[in-house]
Amino acid sequence: MLSIVNIIPASLSGEPHQDSEPNLAVNPAHPTHMVATAFTPAPMGGPNAPIYVTTDGGATWSLRTVVPGNGFVGTGDITVGFATTGGMLYAGILNGSTGRMQILRTSGFNSTTPMTVLVDRTSEDQPWVVAGSVVVSNASQDRVFVGSNDFAQPAGATATIDLSQNAATATAPAGFAPHQLERRATVGQDGPPVRIALHQPSGTVYAAFQRLVSGTFPNFDTDIVVTRDDNWGTGANPFSALLDSADEAIGQRVATGRFIRFNAQMGQERLGADLTIAVDPTNVNTVYIAWCDRVGGAAGTDWTLHVARSTNRGQTWSADLRTITNAKNPSLAVNTNCAVGLIYQQFTGTTWDTKLEITSNGWSSAVTPLVLHTAPSSVPVSTFLPYIGDYIRLLSWAPTSMGCSAATTRRISPISRTASLTSVRPIGRTIGC
Amino acid sequence: MSDALKDLLGRSAFSFVATIVHLGAATMTDVPVDNHTAVVQVDHVLHAPEAFAHLENHRITLQLAQGVSLPAPGESYAFFAEGLAFGESMAVVEIGRLPVESVEPHANLAMAAGVTAGAFNPLLHEMNQDKLRVHMQQADAVVVGRVSGIEKAGPSTRSEHDPDWWRATIDVFHVERGAVSPGPLKVLFANSLDVRWYQVPKPKAAQGGLWLLHATAGDLNVLAPFQLLHPEDFQPTQQLDELRKPVGD
């Protein structure tokens, strides 16, 4: 069963905000506990932006104004993740008031106490949080990874990951420190997205980023690069385990020379930063990646989503398993039955359709997308960018079934300009390989 | 009283007259409850964002301030609050409170004028004007002029949050303050509609008005001596006389 829930609480019904760029976290220890985020301003103003919380598996939601920095649209970029055990919630944000990148935590996701600031730095973009936990000497430690595009990194190698080996209790910065993922030359920086896939049992962590190889703004040739660490990033030189099979530099290039025109428009939305990676929780060797580029090059008009797979820990990659034209915001998840879920948002010319595909054989047989919702693309008129967001998130958590959840922005009434966030609750069917 | 009221209004987005119904209780199932958590009946909304202007006769949760006397059930006050949690109901946290009698004149005037949740509209307008006056005093230059040209200024960076700097030429015909002479003046502005920049004023051809300008620094200074940074950096010319008044006047 698939149920779609409008997560705008009853007391805020009819709120008119754009609510772009949603993100989602599920507490693995209590999967009925979830947190969603978006560009939603605090309903009554004040210094803190809101998060959405649920304690009943997504049936009902409420807001907590606990994120430091409440700007015109609430917080800036925000992603969230729960530790595997213990219930600690972590967030990476661009502060809505200062624009600075901050890493936050709270032990009570449902609390009304503002989250604690662990890291506060300038000149960064798109912090992306993934958290896990491991038992060391009979004590649980939270291992937390925050990808970002850190413009303070030298030599234009800006794809970066902050990591902490024990983030739950220590005072700021709680062990967090940045590490460069990019090891090659760039045109001066990498692209905005850095995405992370954690294989909890083994401590293997994959990170993917978008290397800008050549070109001038807004037209770039890019490489899609995957790096890997085999022990939670604990070594002196983390994320250096995967060498490219061609140039032997750190970081395997999954695709090379892919054309991107940053800030090109599709409907009322901008383009440029689409990337996702997921690892099979039952087989650390199997990794899926998806990204978008313009197949037609500079003269093209498309924005094409590609999905590829590696079965040898990121060393070699398949040809496209799936391509989808004029789609963005891919997000992948793999469940413990090795079923793969892909969510994305596709522009039809008149609508934005949010679709979910689930495959148990890597798209070797055709998959009929589940259309989660369809919304007109021209209304409401965009008040800012991103219109629907630079990312969304798909998660799996159920041990025996494909438990998928996603938060997406939905515009339900072109007349009233009503905007609503929706979440997709678990799909209660067993899908295996 | 006016200063105390202004202080409370400056720190709260929501004020209302309410009666304590229960202590140690809440209207939401999943907010923490202690002896300072109260269920209150909203008797009258004094000021609020539009979405909360019609809460009269609703029960909400009020987290009472620590360190002040705990009101008893049945007692009424004018509470000043900010939002805490919003679900099937809502919870707010007390910033301060005043005796009901002290806000009655404001509420009565608004009711007589048929204004909902507008008890403090005149005070809030004054406070907003004062904020604007302070902002004007902090600006490096304040001029009246008309836009005579717009052009792209410098290369863009490779971020979706790139400001997309453009340069306006403003024909200045009055200098209110700052080291500026009448005549053409180059002013940078972020033309990006990105979430970080979309509220920065974006001058249009022939647009005339009052411009509050901020000195550029570093690389931006090469592009132009001034920039627009804040949503309030453009004002109608008619505001000039008002903004010349001293703060608090």
Side-chain angles (χ1 to χ4, degrees), chain A residues 44 63-64 72 125 270 385, chain B residues 13 86 160 193-195 199:
Chain A
M44 281 191 180
L63 265 66
R64 301 286 185 272
F72 303 122
D125 193 15
R270 67 183 178 197
L385 294 171
Chain B
F86 303 85
E160 77 271 27
L193 293 176
D194 176 73
V195 61
Q199 289 215 333

Side-chain angles (χ1 to χ4, degrees), chain A residues 103-191:
Chain A
I103 299 174
L104 315 172
R105 79 172 174 221
T106 179
S107 59
F109 78 101
N110 204 20
S111 164
T112 52
T113 303
M115 298 181 77
T116 301
V117 178
L118 303 176
V119 172
D120 177 61
R121 292 199 302 259
T122 189
S123 297
E124 298 196 37
D125 193 15
Q126 283 205 22
W128 187 270
V129 173
V130 170
S133 304
V134 63
V135 174
V136 178
S137 302
N138 294 321
S140 180
Q141 297 181 348
D142 287 355
R143 304 274 165 96
V144 182
F145 305 86
V146 184
S148 74
N149 197 24
D150 181 358
F151 296 101
Q153 293 294 336
T158 57
T160 302
I161 198 161
D162 271 73
L163 61 89
S164 169
Q165 299 300 330
N166 193 1
T169 55
T171 57
F176 282 103
H179 302 270
Q180 277 181 306
L181 293 173
E182 177 65 90
R183 313 298 176 101
R184 296 180 176 88
T186 70
V187 296
Q189 69 166 87
D190 294 297

Side-chain angles (χ1 to χ4, degrees), chain A residues 12 33 36 74 87 90 99 117 128 139 144-145 171 186 211 221 253 264 288 290 315 338-339 350 362 364 367 372 425:
Chain A
L12 300 174
H33 295 177
Y90 297 90
V117 178
W128 187 270
V144 182
F145 305 86
T171 57
T186 70
R211 174 186 174 223
D221 286 325
R253 293 168 295 180
Y288 291 83
Q315 192 65 68
C338 43
T350 57
S364 61
V367 175
L372 304 183
R425 298 175 67 201

Side-chain angles (χ1 to χ4, degrees), chain B residues 62-78:
Chain B
L62 174 63
Q63 187 66 32
L64 293 158
Q66 302 283 343
V68 290
S69 61
L70 209 53
E75 291 184 351
S76 299
Y77 288 92

Side-chain angles (χ1 to χ4, degrees), chain A residues 326-390:
Chain A
N326 293 339
K328 64 167 288 180
N329 289 345
S331 185
L332 287 160
V334 188
N335 79 353
T336 49
N337 282 338
C338 43
V340 181
L342 169 70
I343 194 170
Y344 54 90
Q345 296 179 292
Q346 188 169 30
F347 180 60
T348 65
T350 57
T351 61
W352 280 104
D353 296 349
T354 299
K355 297 181 178 179
L356 175 64
E357 299 186 9
I358 300 172
T359 175
S360 55
N361 58 19
W363 284 273
S364 61
S365 57
V367 175
T368 302
L370 300 164
V371 181
L372 304 183
H373 62 75
T374 295
S377 59
S378 57
V379 286
V381 174
S382 170
T383 53
F384 64 87
L385 294 171
Y387 181 57
I388 57 176
D390 292 330

Side-chain angles (χ1 to χ4, degrees), chain A residues 271-316:
Chain A
L271 302 174
D274 294 302
L275 184 62
T276 178
I277 188 167
V279 60
D280 184 337
T282 66
N283 183 352
V284 69
N285 297 330
T286 302
V287 195
Y288 291 83
I289 192 169
W291 73 92
C292 296
D293 58 43
R294 182 175 287 189
V295 172
T301 58
D302 64 290
W303 190 241
T304 301
L305 189 159
H306 308 257
V307 183
R309 175 180 56 202
S310 170
T311 55
N312 54 7
R313 298 169 71 82
Q315 192 65 68
T316 60

Side-chain angles (χ1 to χ4, degrees), chain B:
Chain B
M1 179 55 70
S2 180
D3 283 349
L5 190 50
K6 281 185 176 178
D7 175 61
L8 287 171
L9 287 172
R11 294 187 290 130
S12 59
F14 181 41
S15 62
F16 54 103
V17 174
T19 303
I20 306 292
V21 179
H22 300 292
L23 287 172
T27 57
M28 299 175 69
T29 55
D30 54 355
V31 295
V33 175
D34 58 30
N35 64 348
H36 279 68
T37 312
V39 173
V40 300
Q41 166 108 1
V42 177
D43 301 318
H44 185 80
V45 177
L46 298 168
H47 93 290
E50 188 182 346
F52 305 101
H54 301 281
L55 282 176
E56 279 185 12
N57 300 318
H58 284 73
R59 290 185 179 190
I60 64 172
T61 301
L62 174 63
Q63 187 66 32
L64 293 158
Q66 302 283 343
V68 290
S69 61
L70 209 53
E75 291 184 351
S76 299
Y77 288 92
F79 291 103
F80 296 77
E82 66 179 30
L84 201 58
F86 303 85
E88 73 274 21
S89 176
M90 54 185 279
V92 298
V93 59
E94 179 189 0
I95 301 295
R97 75 184 78 149
L98 292 172
V100 175
E101 309 82 72
S102 68
V103 300
E104 271 179 347
H106 301 277
N108 289 340
L109 279 174
M111 288 176 72
V115 180
T116 303
F120 303 126
N121 282 358
L123 269 180
L124 289 167
H125 177 73
E126 270 180 40
M127 292 168 65
N128 283 335
Q129 289 293 86
D130 273 350
K131 272 188 199 167
L132 208 48
R133 288 181 187 114
V134 170
H135 184 65
M136 188 169 91
Q137 290 166 5
Q138 291 171 341
D140 295 297
V142 178
V143 303
V144 178
R146 185 173 299 282
V147 177
S148 62
I150 298 173
E151 60 188 332
K152 173 88 170 143
S156 298
T157 61
R158 305 157 191 111
S159 165
E160 77 271 27
H161 299 306
D162 175 65
D164 188 15
W165 291 116
W166 281 60
R167 183 169 42 222
T169 301
I170 297 176
D171 277 341
V172 175
F173 44 84
H174 171 77
V175 178
E176 181 68 12
R177 57 178 303 208
V180 178
S181 301
L185 178 67
K186 302 293 187 186
V187 176
L188 282 183
F189 64 96
N191 200 41
S192 170
L193 293 176
D194 176 73
V195 61
R196 195 178 293 175
W197 302 101
Y198 79 102
Q199 289 215 333
V200 175
K202 302 177 192 329
K204 302 290 185 291
Q207 184 180 19
L210 179 65
W211 305 90
L212 281 56
L213 306 176
H214 308 275
T216 54
D219 293 344
L220 292 184
N221 190 246
V222 177
L223 302 176
F226 293 101
Q227 62 181 323
L228 300 168
L229 279 177
H230 308 284
E232 58 270 28
D233 283 347
F234 174 74
Q235 298 291 325
T237 308
Q238 292 83 348
Q239 270 275 58
L240 184 55
D241 283 342
E242 277 297 309
L243 297 181
R244 281 172 169 160
K245 294 176 182 173
V247 172
D249 189 16

